[in-house]
Amino acid sequence: MFFKITPTSGQSLYLQLMQQIRHAVENGALRDGDQLPGIRTLAQELVVSPNTIAKAYSELEHEGLLELRQGSGAFISVNRRARSLSNHIQAASRSVTELVEQLRERDFHDEEIRRMFEAALLHQPEMVRKK
Amino acid sequence: MTNGLVIQTERLGKSYGRIEALKELNLSIRAHGITAFLGLNGAAKSTTIKILLGMMRPSSGDGTILGQRISDPIESVRIRRKIAYVSENKRLYDYMTVDQMIRFTSAFYPDWRPSEEQRLLRQFKLPRDRKVKSLSKGMRTKLGLLMAFARQPELLILDEPSEGLDPGGIEELLEILVARCSEGTTIFFSSHQIAEVERIADQICILHAGRLVLDSSVDDLRESYRRIDLIFPSIPAEHDFRIAGIEDVRTRGHQMSVLASRNAEAVVARAHDFHATSIDITPVALRDVFLQKVKEN
């Protein structure tokens, strides 16, 4: 599994890593029981703080997508809950794809669409935002 | 160590005559992380580090490193035993060879790791028999780094560690810092190179003209800083957008550009109140945060 970190993007590095692992599970690049590199190994490979890797792993464990076994590493765990979560995410991602396609057909550029999404996400101060 | 903080200072100040170089610095550096200490040249980064190490006396305030007072001469010696430090100018003895310099330094430290010394000698391709005097700037830097990295300190303090290194050398340095952090060493390094900081730092402190102008986790910075570009049919007054968390507001014609360190939601809500026709929100690169913070106030 190859990971790619973009430090200049505005997104936290641990979130970038989480998304890539989630995505890899969704598209089958990572399967149930697969082992991920250790924190130290991956930190050195990506040249990022080990705390970044630890945070991503621990959040994914919390989501149920990763199992951390003391001393032996991190393993992908696609249990029923994670599988239904992943179906849920895939369905949502299909809706977003459809909407984006519709907007493109109406001649909006990708950059404009991205800005509209960002603005729409922020224009709900009364709502408690979920991370 | 107290409350998980390895470095803690309280209203640390340094004056030279009437000139206040460092003003009421309050630092809180957590253990087991990588903290970048950023600032332009002359911001007093090196002065701060020298005070922390007991090499310079503060004019006011005090602090602790690993629970020991920096102003107490005896505790200061204990501090220096537990930490490794690489100075800005890598103080070395020119008349010694690389090998002699390493033997001389290692004699002072019980936590010296010969295997690590050998590994770094090979990695850095340092010529053991060459006189220090004849080393290039990059080689001097590498020798200085080797003498800190060959130890196993609780805390590593580096003053501009990448100075003099080429891009390959900088990459090697960052890899070593990351590896050391994995082993549990806390790292505190000063720099003015954003590119090296934004990869590896957990926490960022920005010093400007002797004052701490930012102290934040890098994740918080990335998640909360936003630039919001707005277009209005008729432009509102800038002060209508000067709300909590707003760092900068600029207008040009029908356009307004707002830099928010938090509270981007409130800016968007207000933009709707003023019937903005376009709202464009983009994340802010660390470089822009830095430049904003060190602008003359």
Side-chain angles (χ1 to χ4, degrees):
Chain A
M1 178 68 206
F2 298 105
F3 298 106
K4 199 173 58 199
I5 293 290
T6 316
T8 46
S9 108
Q11 194 183 32
S12 291
L13 305 187
Y14 83 95
L15 284 175
Q16 293 183 27
L17 190 58
M18 280 175 73
Q19 274 173 11
Q20 287 175 33
I21 294 172
R22 253 193 237 121
H23 191 65
V25 171
E26 278 161 27
N27 63 25
L30 284 174
R31 313 241 160 117
D32 191 35
D34 280 355
Q35 185 174 10
L36 289 179
I39 289 173
R40 183 181 172 172
T41 311
L42 193 53
Q44 269 181 275
E45 189 186 315
L46 298 175
V47 197
V48 298
S49 167
N51 295 309
T52 300
I53 315 286
K55 194 166 174 184
Y57 279 10
S58 115
E59 298 259 321
L60 286 170
E61 184 189 35
H62 193 67
E63 286 183 10
L65 197 68
L66 210 59
E67 200 184 309
L68 301 181
R69 294 178 207 156
Q70 197 65 47
S72 55
F75 297 86
I76 298 293
S77 135
V78 191
N79 57 28
R80 214 170 343 134
R81 190 176 144 261
R83 209 169 285 147
S84 78
L85 197 69
S86 142
N87 289 341
H88 202 55
I89 291 170
Q90 279 178 11
S93 139
R94 272 196 298 276
S95 311
V96 172
T97 311
E98 277 169 30
L99 179 58
V100 168
E101 281 311 318
Q102 284 172 20
L103 290 169
R104 278 183 184 148
E105 276 166 27
R106 287 157 65 183
D107 281 342
F108 284 104
H109 292 296
D110 286 4
E111 195 57 18
E112 291 172 310
I113 298 171
R114 197 185 53 73
R115 289 171 190 172
M116 282 187 247
F117 268 91
E118 283 241 27
L121 283 172
L122 279 183
H123 182 49
Q124 269 161 353
E126 70 277 11
M127 242 179 66
V128 181
R129 277 202 304 157
K130 289 204 258 176
K131 279 214 172 157
Chain B
M1 208 191 313
T2 47
N3 51 35
L5 297 173
V6 285
I7 302 176
Q8 198 168 18
T9 70
E10 222 167 282
R11 307 184 65 162
L12 212 56
K14 179 73 186 173
S15 301
Y16 298 99
R18 278 191 191 163
I19 298 164
E20 252 190 307
L22 190 64
K23 296 158 196 158
E24 307 208 333
L25 179 70
N26 296 312
L27 276 181
S28 299
I29 309 301
R30 282 181 291 277
H32 309 305
I34 302 179
T35 300
F37 193 39
L38 286 172
L40 300 173
N41 292 328
K45 301 191 294 290
S46 297
T47 300
T48 305
I49 288 177
K50 283 179 186 152
I51 294 175
L52 290 176
L53 293 166
M55 294 157 68
M56 195 186 264
R57 224 183 258 269
S59 311
S60 56
D62 203 351
T64 58
I65 292 188
L66 302 164
Q68 311 276 339
R69 297 240 141 249
I70 57 176
S71 56
D72 183 299
I74 294 167
E75 294 188 25
S76 180
V77 172
R78 280 192 209 127
I79 291 173
R80 276 178 271 180
R81 244 182 243 142
K82 286 183 184 172
I83 70 177
Y85 161 62
V86 180
S87 71
E88 195 181 8
N89 46 16
K90 325 278 174 313
R91 288 171 312 156
L92 305 166
Y93 297 111
D94 276 344
Y95 57 86
M96 290 189 184
T97 63
V98 168
D99 224 21
Q100 286 168 334
M101 189 75 225
I102 291 172
R103 295 280 70 77
F104 175 76
T105 309
S106 63
F108 289 97
Y109 301 106
D111 61 353
W112 193 268
R113 296 189 289 183
S115 60
E116 193 57 19
E117 168 204 309
Q118 291 303 317
R119 203 187 63 72
L120 288 166
L121 266 173
R122 282 193 301 274
Q123 186 181 345
F124 288 162
K125 299 189 181 67
L126 283 168
R128 307 173 62 146
D129 300 325
R130 278 259 292 278
K131 284 255 164 54
V132 168
K133 185 170 55 187
S134 71
L135 295 180
S136 69
K137 198 175 176 198
M139 287 288 185
R140 283 181 78 92
T141 298
K142 284 181 171 177
L143 179 56
L145 292 171
L146 179 145
M147 293 192 299
F149 291 148
R151 294 178 48 205
Q152 196 160 26
E154 283 179 50
L155 170 66
L156 197 49
I157 295 182
L158 309 118
D159 197 358
E160 309 271 0
S162 64
E163 203 73 2
L165 295 179
D166 59 23
I170 292 177
E171 197 64 13
E172 279 177 315
L173 164 69
L174 298 184
E175 279 169 24
I176 295 170
L177 291 181
V178 163
R180 281 311 148 84
C181 181
S182 306
E183 291 167 4
T185 301
T186 305
I187 293 162
F188 182 80
F189 76 106
S190 77
S191 177
H192 49 240
Q193 302 293 330
I194 304 290
E196 58 193 45
V197 165
E198 64 187 353
R199 286 196 83 91
I200 65 164
D202 296 304
Q203 187 183 358
I204 285 192
C205 296
I206 298 181
L207 198 66
H208 181 53
R211 250 178 232 287
L212 190 65
V213 290
L214 183 94
D215 177 3
S216 168
S217 93
V218 179
D219 286 340
D220 286 347
L221 269 188
R222 284 201 165 98
E223 279 161 34
S224 58
Y225 263 80
R226 290 292 178 269
R227 178 165 302 283
I228 306 139
D229 289 302
L230 307 161
I231 300 174
F232 296 97
S234 85
I235 197 91
E238 283 184 10
H239 65 76
D240 283 320
F241 282 82
R242 292 203 182 273
I243 49 184
I246 303 313
E247 303 284 323
D248 190 34
V249 182
R250 266 183 261 172
T251 53
R252 190 175 295 164
H254 288 274
Q255 284 177 298
M256 179 181 275
S257 184
V258 180
L259 182 68
S261 58
R262 58 191 168 87
N263 241 344
E265 294 95 333
V267 173
V268 173
R270 197 150 290 192
H272 280 281
D273 293 343
F274 285 96
H275 312 291
T277 52
S278 163
I279 300 175
D280 176 9
I281 300 156
T282 41
V284 181
L286 221 50
R287 182 181 162 277
D288 295 326
V289 174
F290 175 70
L291 291 175
Q292 165 68 23
K293 286 291 175 189
V294 300
K295 251 184 9 193
E296 282 311 317
N297 296 318

